[in-house]
Amino acid sequence: MGLFVDIEKRLGAFRLRVRFEAEEGVTALLGASGCGKSMTLKCIAGIEKPDRGKIILDGVTLFDSEKHLSVKPQERRVGYLFQQYALFPTMTVEENVRCGVRERKDRRERAAEMIERMGLHGLEKRTPRQLSGGQQQRVALARILVNDPELLLLDEPFSALDSHLRFRMEGELRQLLREFRKPVLMVSHDREEVYRLSQRVIVLHDGSVETQGTREEVYRAPGTPAGALLTGCRNVSPVELREDGLLYARDWGIPLRLEGGHHDVGAVGIPMEALRPGPGENETRCRVLEVLENPCSLVLFLRPLTAPEDSTPLVMELPKGEWAAIAAEELTVSLPDAAILRLKGEA
């Protein structure tokens, strides 16, 4: 049956208003810092109490403001992996995992089984400060999973790890999540991490759900300017419909000829890798403002000659070899219609 969330919570001037469902598999909450991702997890776990709404897990109501019902955190059968893991610093690995076992009679046996399963055998007597970041994460997960939770909450699961450890730990976590076979809600602001780990994505912006759907649906058609930026589109501009039927991109100072209706299009976006050098659809002449070098590509910041001096540059990514053949102070670029995102709301 999965997870159902429909809650509101006000914190000063900030208002969280979210409604979504999550089934078996990984659902990611993607959003910028301060948009309400972690607060949503805390409300589901019972650490924070919403002002209004309902939270239901597998048919069991965890929170209902109308019925004045709020199940205690320790009774919710929800596993919560905090960003810094929240291990007890003076306890050993074995003691930390045993703390997670609810039933006293088989605490030692269940902890030993989970330590073995999580690849922590031989580390039982070590304290957290004697472990690597990856080992600490496995201990924290072992302490959560030892109680067989019905829902797993992951709050920025790789934020405490060095960059060189993230890919290896991501692979280990991906395998663990495949075996979990229950709903997982993961918070992240890393769009690539979200794409690799999740099956469904919910984009949060300023406390509200901007868009949601399968990973492929959301990344292909994010729907709003905030959704486009969060899923990796570097070029977003508000547009206005002109009398000649063209959409004028205000930030770039260029008209765009797009197929289909434009009545609800308030902005457009185009991924930086979709811009192409040379003539083509929606071509425009640009001045090259800056060229940044990546290991395998170059990122060009371009200003259309028709745009004002304080306008937002277009960003284009090219393989190094391709730029070497056309390097110039000015160049023509095209914006293919098929690659342009139609977005609701103004950027």
Side-chain angles (χ1 to χ4, degrees):
M1 289 179 281
L3 173 71
F4 171 79
V5 177
D6 181 8
I7 57 172
E8 293 185 15
K9 184 173 179 63
R10 188 178 291 277
L11 292 167
F14 178 78
R15 186 182 182 189
L16 178 71
R17 293 169 293 178
V18 294
R19 179 188 174 95
F20 61 86
E21 296 182 35
E23 302 294 335
E24 177 183 324
V26 182
T27 298
L29 296 180
L30 175 64
S33 297
C35 72
K37 304 186 302 296
S38 294
M39 180 56 64
T40 300
L41 293 195
K42 290 176 181 177
C43 287
I44 295 169
I47 299 170
E48 293 283 350
K49 186 177 180 180
D51 299 327
R52 186 209 67 79
K54 289 183 180 180
I55 301 171
I56 303 172
L57 177 61
D58 288 340
V60 177
T61 301
L62 304 182
F63 176 80
D64 189 328
S65 58
E66 292 184 357
K67 296 180 180 179
H68 305 285
L69 171 65
S70 183
V71 176
K72 294 178 180 179
Q74 61 269 30
E75 297 175 2
R76 294 195 178 200
R77 297 193 63 79
V78 172
Y80 193 147
L81 181 68
F82 294 90
Q83 289 186 23
Q84 302 299 324
Y85 309 141
L87 297 175
F88 297 111
T90 60
M91 290 186 178
T92 65
V93 168
E94 182 181 15
E95 290 168 338
N96 265 285
V97 177
R98 285 211 318 252
C99 279
V101 183
R102 297 177 191 273
E103 301 296 330
R104 290 180 176 272
K105 61 181 180 180
D106 57 354
R107 180 173 288 179
R108 187 178 298 275
E109 291 75 13
R110 292 191 63 183
E113 290 173 5
M114 186 54 65
I115 286 171
E116 185 70 31
R117 177 184 168 191
M118 296 299 293
L120 295 166
H121 181 70
L123 304 176
E124 293 90 339
K125 303 305 179 184
R126 294 190 186 183
T127 58
R129 66 183 181 84
Q130 296 173 310
L131 303 174
S132 68
Q135 289 168 339
Q136 289 181 24
Q137 185 184 83
R138 276 185 275 159
V139 174
L141 285 167
R143 188 175 62 185
I144 292 168
L145 295 173
V146 75
N147 274 315
D148 193 25
E150 297 302 319
L151 170 68
L152 192 56
L153 305 177
L154 307 177
D155 193 353
E156 301 277 5
F158 306 110
S159 63
L161 298 177
D162 294 333
S163 58
H164 69 279
L165 284 175
R166 291 189 181 188
F167 266 107
R168 181 166 63 83
M169 290 306 303
E170 187 181 304
E172 292 183 13
L173 181 60
R174 190 161 46 242
Q175 180 59 38
L176 185 149
L177 296 179
R178 288 195 195 104
E179 298 170 358
F180 186 61
R181 299 187 181 280
K182 296 176 184 178
V184 178
L185 203 57
M186 181 184 78
V187 156
S188 180
H189 61 266
D190 187 323
R191 63 185 183 277
E192 295 178 355
E193 179 182 286
V194 164
Y195 197 89
R196 290 190 297 265
L197 284 170
S198 66
Q199 289 81 52
R200 293 186 60 81
V201 177
I202 299 168
V203 176
L204 291 186
H205 179 63
D206 287 343
S208 299
V209 175
E210 284 270 305
T211 186
Q212 58 183 306
T214 67
R215 173 186 65 186
E216 292 78 11
E217 288 169 347
V218 171
Y219 277 68
R220 183 177 63 248
T224 66
L229 291 167
L230 286 166
T231 53
C233 182
R234 292 285 187 263
N235 300 298
V236 175
S237 171
V239 294
E240 55 190 43
L241 183 61
R242 301 197 318 191
E243 292 183 359
D244 58 7
L246 300 181
L247 284 175
Y248 180 73
R250 296 206 302 265
D251 281 358
W252 310 327
I254 57 175
L256 300 170
R257 186 180 300 278
L258 306 181
E259 296 295 328
H262 305 141
H263 66 280
D264 60 348
V265 178
V268 294
I270 184 165
M272 62 181 181
E273 63 273 13
L275 272 75
R276 299 307 309 155
E281 293 179 287
N282 299 304
E283 66 181 66
T284 184
R285 191 72 177 169
C286 296
R287 185 167 71 254
V288 179
L289 302 178
E290 188 175 7
V291 179
L292 298 182
E293 185 175 6
N294 288 326
C296 300
S297 66
L298 294 170
V299 177
L300 281 65
F301 291 81
L302 311 170
R303 176 166 292 137
L305 299 186
T306 55
E309 286 298 314
D310 60 349
S311 64
T312 303
L314 279 166
V315 185
M316 178 171 68
E317 184 176 33
L318 289 176
K320 287 184 176 180
E322 190 171 350
W323 172 245
I326 61 172
E329 293 183 359
E330 290 186 6
L331 74 157
T332 298
V333 299
S334 59
L335 287 69
D337 181 8
I340 294 177
L341 304 172
R342 281 72 162 169
L343 307 171
K344 295 180 180 180
E346 188 167 309

